[in-house]
């Protein structure tokens, strides 16, 4: 399982990590905590789905200079005959990219597709100009088959954490989501999100990515 944020995901490849470190640390300070762990995927990653997905990029309609697309991923990595779903993705391409940085907005439930253009305007110019910035809507959120099973906005706003009102509002949430989305809900997890990101890494043609949240 993957907890929190990892610095890098993918197979190790020769890179100028020493040269990049100062720039990437500055970026990490802007967008959140950075953990120093690595996940080596190796050849077995692509074997888990049998093929590498392709993203058909098109210009984003509301974000100049960005490209939007969809990434098909298995609905259930353990039972791939159950079909697939499509994750909304966005990238800020550069002419001579030195690598890929994937940003996860967390939230929970925030849209990476909507937030990336805002984030990109805040990161150091050296990162924005030299690295391909990528984000996505995690499964169950945004434009990636969202789970629409929570309380109303008014009810959620009135439920102060730690109070009986909050318990009454949110206690039925799991049952509501599980009954409304019986196939999707069990697959929404940190582990599955990590596997989705590895599919994104492969679709981008990257042996290794940097990941910040």
């Amino acid at each position: 399982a993957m907890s929190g944020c990892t610095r890098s995901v993918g197979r190790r490849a020769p890179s100028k990590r020493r040269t990049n470190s100062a720039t990437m640390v500055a970026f990490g300070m802007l967008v959140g905590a950075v953990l120093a762990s690595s996940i080596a995927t190796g050849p077995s990653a692509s074997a888990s789905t049998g093929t590498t997905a392709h993203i058909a990029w098109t210009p984003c309609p509301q974000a100049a200079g960005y490209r939007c697309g969809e990434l098909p991923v298995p609905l259930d990595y353990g039972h791939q005959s159950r079909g697939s779903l499509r994750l909304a993705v966005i990238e800020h391409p550069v002419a001579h990219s030195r690598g890929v940085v994937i940003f996860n907005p967390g939230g929970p439930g925030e849209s990476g597709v909507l937030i990336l253009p805002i984030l990109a305007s805040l990161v150091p110019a050296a990162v924005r100009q030299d690295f391909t910035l990528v984000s996505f809507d995690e499964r169950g959120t945004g434009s990636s088959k969202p789970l629409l099973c929570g309380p109303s906005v008014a009810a959620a706003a009135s439920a102060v954490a730690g109070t009986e009102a909050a318990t009454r509002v949110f206690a039925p949430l799991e049952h509501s989501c599980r009954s409304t989305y019986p196939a999707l809900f069990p697959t929404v997890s940190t582990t599955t999100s990590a596997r989705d990101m590895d599919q994104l890494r492969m679709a981008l043609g990257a042996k290794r990515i940097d990941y910040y949240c």
Side-chain angles (χ1 to χ4, degrees):
M2 181 174 156
S3 175
C5 313
T6 65
R7 175 174 294 173
S8 48
V9 179
R11 289 177 289 177
R12 292 188 177 274
S15 61
K16 299 179 180 179
R17 299 295 298 175
R18 191 181 302 273
T19 304
N20 297 347
S21 60
T23 301
M24 300 316 297
V25 167
F27 178 36
M29 291 175 65
L30 284 171
V31 296
V34 180
L35 303 182
S37 60
S38 293
I39 300 176
T41 59
S44 60
S46 58
S48 67
T49 58
T51 186
T52 299
H54 171 71
I55 301 174
W57 295 107
T58 59
C60 295
Q62 297 179 339
Y66 290 81
R67 301 196 303 176
C68 290
E70 292 183 328
L71 172 70
V73 296
L75 174 63
D76 186 336
Y77 284 92
H79 303 86
Q80 294 187 36
S81 62
R82 294 179 180 175
S84 63
L85 60 87
R86 306 183 77 83
L87 304 182
V89 295
I90 183 174
E91 75 165 5
H92 181 263
V94 294
H96 303 288
S97 179
R98 295 171 61 185
V100 175
V101 178
I102 291 183
F103 171 69
N104 184 340
E110 298 291 344
S111 169
V113 172
L114 295 179
I115 289 179
L116 185 63
I118 300 172
L119 169 73
S121 69
L122 301 175
V123 302
V127 175
R128 190 169 57 252
Q129 296 169 3
D130 292 345
F131 291 84
T132 301
L133 303 183
V134 179
S135 193
F136 66 110
D137 290 354
E138 292 188 282
R139 61 172 62 204
T141 71
S143 297
S144 299
K145 202 172 179 62
L147 294 172
L148 304 176
C149 48
S152 67
V153 174
S158 67
V160 179
T163 66
E164 291 184 6
T167 301
R168 287 195 300 271
V169 169
F170 292 107
L173 184 59
E174 179 180 355
H175 175 74
S176 174
C177 290
R178 190 177 295 277
S179 60
T180 306
Y181 302 93
L184 175 61
F185 182 75
T187 74
V188 178
S189 68
T190 301
T191 300
T192 304
S193 184
R195 300 190 75 167
D196 287 345
M197 280 189 288
D198 200 45
Q199 293 299 305
L200 179 55
R201 172 189 67 80
M202 289 187 286
L204 294 170
K207 291 183 177 180
R208 189 178 181 88
I209 59 172
D210 287 287
Y211 170 51
Y212 292 89
C213 66

